[in-house]
Amino acid sequence: MKIRLKPINPKRISDQVFDQLRELIFRGDYQPGQKIMTERELSEALNVSRNSVREAINKLVTLRFLEQRQGQGTFVRSMDETVKIPLATVMETQDASLIDLMEMRMGIECTAASLASQRASAADLGAIEKAIHDMETDTRSGGLGTEGDLSFHMAIALATKNPMQIYIMKNVSDFLHVGIRENLLHLYQDPENIVAILQQHRAIFQAIRSGDAEAAYKTMQNHINYVIRFFSSRQ
């Protein structure tokens, strides 16, 4: 029997630059409104041509992750009121609730946790664990830990290695920042909720680290159901 093989195409340098810059944005190393390195600096740091850097930046601008300001440089796009997030539009026009959003996240994030358990690298596991640590540190100092929480879920999405999963979760994450941040504050104002959520995060992390796809799916499901029950009780 003749076996058909497809030629292996090496990934373009500009795509590799794109992946690195996008990950820095998604992980929060580059914050909204922050100016990124110049083309020359990136070219030297990555040891690639300026043309490859330029192609990557142009792609990020097209996808609205970056914006170029004449005479100033390239900046991470800020998610403020002037930037209309598609999910925000749906929430407004379809009279969707926070619970509707959480139910949508259920499908996305349970699958993400399951995939992450099979694909997470050591760096991914480190990022997930760091997000939990950041949340713990913030709450111990009197904060609410919301930034660490959002970083936790974004780190899991990145660990899936699925660009569609990452892009969708990024939009969900941005919408949580912009559209419902005040509502989330109610959840974190009760210390018992913070303790419970940290325990849930640790259970999700342990399942992902152990490579148990079923447990990762289930622990994420339990976590999101916990949040849904909280907001259902407030209606």
Side-chain angles (χ1 to χ4, degrees), residues 23-206:
E23 184 162 337
L24 288 173
I25 294 169
F26 283 175
R27 290 202 189 281
D29 294 318
Y30 272 136
Q31 293 292 317
Q34 183 178 348
K35 182 179 179 180
I36 70 169
M37 299 165 68
T38 65
E39 284 185 9
R40 180 181 60 78
E41 291 170 335
L42 285 168
S43 173
E44 292 175 355
L46 297 169
N47 194 29
V48 299
S49 70
R50 291 185 65 171
N51 187 56
S52 293
V53 171
R54 189 175 301 114
E55 287 182 18
I57 289 175
N58 288 339
K59 187 175 179 180
L60 288 163
V61 169
T62 300
L63 290 172
R64 300 178 67 81
F65 293 129
L66 296 176
E67 61 178 335
Q68 292 175 317
R69 301 175 189 171
Q70 187 67 34
Q72 298 181 54
T74 304
F75 296 78
V76 178
R77 184 177 287 277
S78 299
M79 289 297 174
D80 55 28
E81 294 179 357
T82 64
V83 180
K84 202 64 171 179
I85 301 170
L87 281 173
T89 303
V90 173
M91 292 284 285
E92 293 170 1
T93 60
Q94 302 298 321
D95 194 28
S97 68
L98 174 58
I99 293 174
D100 292 326
L101 177 64
M102 295 305 299
E103 288 176 347
M104 182 271 291
R105 286 181 62 192
M106 180 78 77
I108 294 172
E109 295 200 59
C110 291
T111 299
S114 178
L115 291 173
S117 72
Q118 304 301 308
R119 302 174 181 176
S121 65
D124 292 321
L125 293 174
I128 297 170
E129 189 170 29
K130 180 180 181 300
I132 296 173
H133 175 73
D134 289 347
M135 186 178 175
E136 289 174 331
T137 301
D138 189 33
T139 55
R140 279 199 299 268
S141 63
L144 298 173
T146 51
E147 298 300 324
D149 192 336
L150 291 166
S151 295
F152 171 80
H153 290 280
M154 194 66 235
I156 292 174
L158 286 162
T160 69
K161 313 302 182 189
N162 182 319
M164 292 301 295
Q165 189 88 28
I166 294 167
Y167 185 79
I168 291 172
M169 189 56 207
K170 172 62 177 172
N171 278 277
V172 172
S173 177
D174 285 334
F175 184 59
L176 289 175
H177 268 296
V178 178
I180 59 175
R181 186 176 177 81
E182 293 304 313
N183 287 329
L184 285 177
L185 290 177
H186 294 298
L187 177 64
Y188 294 110
Q189 282 173 345
D190 186 338
E192 291 185 5
N193 286 331
I194 294 177
V195 171
I197 287 170
L198 278 168
Q199 290 174 340
Q200 293 159 17
H201 282 191
R202 293 189 200 100
I204 294 166
F205 172 64
Q206 292 298 334

